[in-house]
């Protein structure tokens, strides 16, 4: 759908802040979860450099009825930033400054386009860090993480990225600028607008500033890898470790197929067995915590448990998990993964959802590697299909659907960290109910009366 975006030329922006070049538009037509051939080009790309720029763009876009889709690094996996109705892509990557560091308050103010690792680099000299960053923190922006309510490997200890946000500045679709929260570590004042903006995937407003609380870097960091006889043993060991209160910063699981894929990708000769990867953070007593974890694992037929003595050894032990995303595509020449599964269930149901996924793989004759952030019940999986066979793709999508539906039945969610975007809209009512989704639509209509903010996402269609 084509929109006239020439009104942007009259907003007083510099010429290099606006582009209608095919290359710029094409680059922002898709994200990591959307093949380039399925992307949609915006009519124009605009790079705001201040809150005032964002506000003027949003006011004018609302007045002209032109869609606006925020964009940053393009690392989302559910088409969250694809401008499916064209219009303007608002590229936030130039708003990437550290605005203020307050080490005495354990706080930092940043703009949304800053990469996660750059936040940590800015505060490292004070002995501080943002511990909740996902593993994609080196390539993903803070604004994108909050828009999609991202989390990652360290959620089991530190929570989600949004749990570390104290306040935000947000430009609404009408151009009004609001602030949420404060610099205080807690507040009971008014509606929590910040929690409404977080996870709204650019459908309610544009984040322009974030106040983040920080933590002191742990004095002790150790990591290790455990091998198990069966996948059931590994999953039950994770459940038992979390239930027993083992203080892990990361606890990740990969199944036998994932181990085989990693071995092939890395050209290593690890045994093709289920593995659990752990990392411990502490200021004292880390050996006691490792011993506690070992005792829990030993109750579940662990066959080996190696713990690294230094960072280099820890990187080697963790390589099979860290490189797994890159190992899926080349494993079988004619197979490719569908969009990565991202279900999350209560931790007591984690062994069950893995068992179900593997039983389904056997029954439906699909390769389905299972892995994920086991400590918080987050299962990632990939249904491997022949992309050139429409029947195989359709069958694979149905298998994936069954896994998502089972997760919801178990009291879980269709998406633990990737968001709804375009790919998970069908599950919203099943997970939340009609009344809750209607309440979400009411919020959307109140804040975005012209329906221009990232239309067609989260809800089932552009008019939602």
């Amino acid at each position: 759908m084509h929109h006239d975006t020439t009104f942007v030329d009259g907003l007083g922006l510099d010429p290099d802040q606006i582009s209608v070049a095919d290359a710029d538009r094409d680059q922002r037509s898709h994200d990591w979860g959307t093949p380039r051939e399925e992307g949609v080009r915006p009519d124009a790309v605009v790079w705001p450099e201040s809150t005032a720029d964002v506000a003027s763009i949003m006011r004018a876009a609302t007045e002209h009825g032109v869609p606006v889709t925020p964009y940053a690094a393009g690392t989302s996996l559910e088409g969250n930033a694809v401008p499916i109705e064209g219009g303007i892509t608002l590229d936030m990557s130039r708003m990437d400054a550290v605005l203020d560091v307050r080490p005495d308050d354990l706080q930092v103010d940043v703009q949304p386009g800053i990469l996660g690792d750059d936040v940590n680099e800015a505060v490292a000299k004070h002995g501080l860090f943002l511990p909740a960053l996902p593993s994609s923190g080196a390539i993903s922006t803070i604004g994108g993480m909050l828009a999609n309510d991202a989390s990652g490997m360290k959620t089991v200890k530190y929570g989600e990225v949004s749990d570390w946000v104290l306040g935000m500045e947000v430009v609404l679709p009408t151009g009004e600028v609001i602030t949420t929260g404060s610099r205080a570590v807690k507040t009971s004042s008014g509606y929590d607008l910040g929690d409404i903006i977080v996870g709204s995937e650019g459908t309610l407003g544009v984040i322009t500033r974030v106040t983040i609380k920080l933590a002191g870097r742990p004095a002790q960091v150790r990591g290790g890898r455990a091998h198990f006889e069966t996948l059931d043993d590994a999953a039950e060991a994770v459940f038992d470790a979390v239930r027993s209160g083992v203080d892990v910063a990361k606890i990740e699981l990969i199944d036998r197929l994932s181990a085989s894929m990693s071995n092939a990708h890395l050209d290593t000769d690890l045994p093709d067995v289920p593995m659990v990867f752990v990392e411990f953070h502490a200021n004292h007593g880390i050996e006691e915590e490792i011993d506690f974890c070992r005792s829990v694992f030993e109750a579940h037929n662990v066959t080996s448990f190696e713990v690294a003595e230094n960072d280099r050894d820890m990187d080697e032990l963790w390589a099979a998990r860290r490189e797994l995303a890159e190992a899926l595509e080349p494993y079988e020449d004619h197979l490719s993964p569908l969009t990565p599964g991202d279900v999350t269930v209560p931790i007591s149901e984690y062994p069950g959802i893995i068992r179900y996924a593997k039983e389904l793989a056997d029954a439906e004759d699909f390769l389905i590697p299972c892995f994920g952030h086991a400590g918080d019940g987050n299962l990632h999986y990939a249904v491997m299909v022949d992309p050139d066979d429409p029947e195989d793709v359709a069958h694979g999508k149905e298998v994936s659907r069954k896994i998502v539906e089972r997760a919801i039945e178990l009291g879980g969610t269709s998406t633990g960290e990737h968001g709804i975007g375009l790919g998970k809209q069908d599950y919203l009512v099943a997970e939340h109910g009609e009344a809750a989704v209607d309440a979400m639509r009411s919020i959307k209509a109140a804040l975005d009366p012209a329906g221009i903010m990232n239309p067609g996402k989260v809800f089932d269609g552009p008019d939602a």
Side-chain angles (χ1 to χ4, degrees), residues 324-403:
L324 184 54
E326 301 298 323
L328 300 179
E329 185 73 47
Y331 184 68
E332 294 278 356
D333 287 342
H334 67 292
L335 298 180
S336 293
L338 291 173
T339 299
D342 175 38
V343 298
T344 305
V345 296
I347 190 63
S348 63
E349 304 288 0
Y350 197 68
I353 192 66
I354 293 178
R355 195 176 302 121
Y356 178 75
K358 300 310 287 188
E359 290 171 353
L360 203 56
D362 290 341
E364 302 288 347
D365 196 24
F366 277 100
L367 292 179
I368 306 180
C370 291
F371 52 98
H373 313 319
D376 47 89
N378 193 185
L379 172 65
H380 292 317
Y381 63 89
V383 180
M384 306 295 289
V385 300
D386 180 350
D388 298 322
D389 182 344
E391 288 188 9
D392 197 47
V393 171
H395 188 193
K397 288 181 178 179
E398 184 57 32
V399 168
S400 182
R401 171 180 288 275
K402 289 180 179 179
I403 297 173

Side-chain angles (χ1 to χ4, degrees), residues 17-28:
Q17 291 181 259
I18 307 166
S19 176
V20 294
D22 287 349
D24 290 327
R25 293 163 56 217
D26 185 60
Q27 184 179 341
R28 291 154 187 84

